[in-house]
Amino acid sequence: MESDKYIHSKVEDRIYAYWEKNKLFKPKKNSKKFSIVIPPPNVTGSLHMGHALNNSIQDFLVRYYRMNNYETLWQPGTDHAGIATQALVERKLAKENLNKNSLGREKFIEKVWEWKNEYGNIIINQLKKLGCSCDWSRNAFTMDDNLSKSVIKVFVELYKKKLIYKAEKLVNWDTVLKTAISDLEVDQREINSKIYYIRYPLENSSEFITIATTRPETMLGDTAIAVNPKDKRYKEYVGKIVIIPIVGRKIKIIKDNYADPDQGTGALKITPAHDFNDYDVGQRNNLDIINVFTEVGKINVNAPQDYVGLDRFDARKKLLDELKEKDFFVKEENIKNKVPYGDRSNSVIEPFLTEQWFVNAKKLAVKAKKIVKSKKTNFFPTNWSKTYFQWMNNIEPWCVSRQLWWGHQIPAWYGPDKKIFVALNEKEATKQAKKYYKKDVKLNRDPDVLDTWFSSGLWPFATLGWPDKKDFVKKFYPTTVLVTGYDIIFFWVARMMMFGMEFLNKEPFKDIYVHALVRDEKGQKMSKSKGNVIDPLDLIEKYSADALRFTLLSMASPGTDVKLSEDRVKGYRNFLNKLWNANNFLITNKCDFSKTDKVPKTTLNINKWIYSELIEIKNKIQKKH
């Protein structure tokens, strides 16, 4: 007889090793198919409670369908996490008194691959510790040769269809990392701040118009003052000229509905190069766009000489002092407002005017919306489809270029006159250039790489072998279900829908199961700053993977967040102990399970009742699926 206590440390690793050795996670041929692609965790990451819930749900589904003789694939893999990985390797190199610029691009990328080969499987081993039954023989990585090939093919095809283009636009700019970043990498933090009231003098008049701003340093790039057309206070001012204090440049007072009469003074300074809403106002009113920042957040030569070279926050201080000294400053007020921070660099993000590559997401969204409207893809719970449509109906051009070295380098080459040649490789680009110039010319490749969401958007079909190997694509695409958190419906789910419809003309998954967040026992979001983070690996070590999984799954009702406490996990560990001892009882009584094709005759009423309950729950589950 086994121990009367379930000692997971002696059981779980041994059983998992048996499963792996006997290749029990590989699909077994059958006419019925079931497939899931794992949301690829960052290669730099380690298992957190969100992963634990997400993967427990996937494993539950996979094991159910595998048990019911479906040909089942759970496709695993990791994301190369451009910004996070590059930053991590750069920090590591700094400890060795090295930096990427001294190494050069090629050598630096070699160092990143060295790091990946040494540490990149940590998250995979942790998923195994959780008990995930993925087909690890198919483990994918977004920088693998086949996935890289699919990324380049998609970029080139979209460029040919004029769905990818290069343009100068406003983007989220990280002044520390010196790259554009996505909205998902921007952390909107509520902070104690100040709002400053500043007087702008009217030309040839003793009058002023007062504006309120939280970022006075952007005054250096103002190109208008806007008031609401319905705001009677400023009716007579529309069309008049004001002079920007300190700067001395003349700008016009314009009317635009964006100006809110109830906010600040109702008069808004408009800086199209340094604010997304101001940029839109500038486009509507054909305003000049004056960028006054460098890529590292210092003041550039478009500002008065005294300010050139100053850090943006030093410029703010100097400007406020000068405004007070020259009597343009009215007052300041303490406020709370949201300020965008880079989640990797922890620095304030600037809207920044720069030339980048964009995808025409509006056109790609058309088919991706139709597939949800027609119910070929369904959200569970259904209310998340509203969120999906809200984002998709208001979709903006997608900035896909990043000023990094680690990632998929953009397949674009430039001729001597900056003419762009987009091709699958340099040989093809050289052919295009020769045809265009009628002679051999030197080409320079675009140094930027693609946003990691671009490559992970191809995940449901690139991991199956597309474009070269079609066997698994035919077998398992569209995948059956996607299990994901609601925070990436737009950033990941929408991208996969757009690319799947564009390149395979089929939805990437039939169903999208959106799970809740795992919070602490008081319902608060887990964060390091609050000190309330619960490490799943600690709980696995103390109470077992089964106890943690059972807890998360039992609490993961659709639409409600999981309020997790260690006591709940401990309680389910005790329940596992009961199951363990029930099994011990069967062993003691020499119960033989080798022949289970015939149900033994039951005579006791209690056994009949237990059996009927089993059949009823079995039927309920099968009806749901």
Side-chain angles (χ1 to χ4, degrees), residues 491-548:
F491 293 98
W492 189 44
V493 179
R495 262 69 153 163
M496 290 189 286
M497 295 287 277
M498 290 191 282
F499 283 150
M501 292 307 300
E502 184 65 26
F503 288 93
L504 281 86
N505 205 28
K506 275 184 183 175
E507 67 281 5
F509 14 77
K510 298 292 183 186
D511 294 319
I512 301 166
Y513 180 85
V514 183
H515 62 73
L517 283 177
V518 184
R519 298 181 179 273
D520 72 9
E521 59 189 311
K522 293 175 185 170
Q524 293 188 323
K525 192 173 179 179
M526 291 186 196
S527 73
K528 286 178 184 172
S529 58
K530 287 179 187 169
N532 65 343
V533 172
I534 306 171
D535 188 334
L537 294 165
D538 288 346
L539 294 182
I540 288 170
E541 194 175 328
K542 278 170 100 170
Y543 303 114
S544 81
D546 276 333
L548 175 61

Side-chain angles (χ1 to χ4, degrees), residues 43 78 111-121 141 406:
V43 74
T78 49
K111 291 282 184 190
V112 182
W113 276 109
E114 281 174 22
W115 178 89
K116 192 266 172 189
N117 292 333
E118 190 172 350
Y119 300 105
N121 277 332
F141 178 54
W406 173 241

Side-chain angles (χ1 to χ4, degrees), residues 16 57 60 66 91 110 190 219 243 395 408 412 429 443 461 497 531 546 557 596:
Y16 198 92
I57 294 167
F60 175 81
R66 193 185 284 130
R91 284 197 298 273
E110 279 177 22
E190 189 170 76
M219 284 173 60
I243 298 158
I395 203 161
H408 298 104
L443 296 179
F461 51 92
M497 295 287 277
D546 276 333
S557 302
T596 55

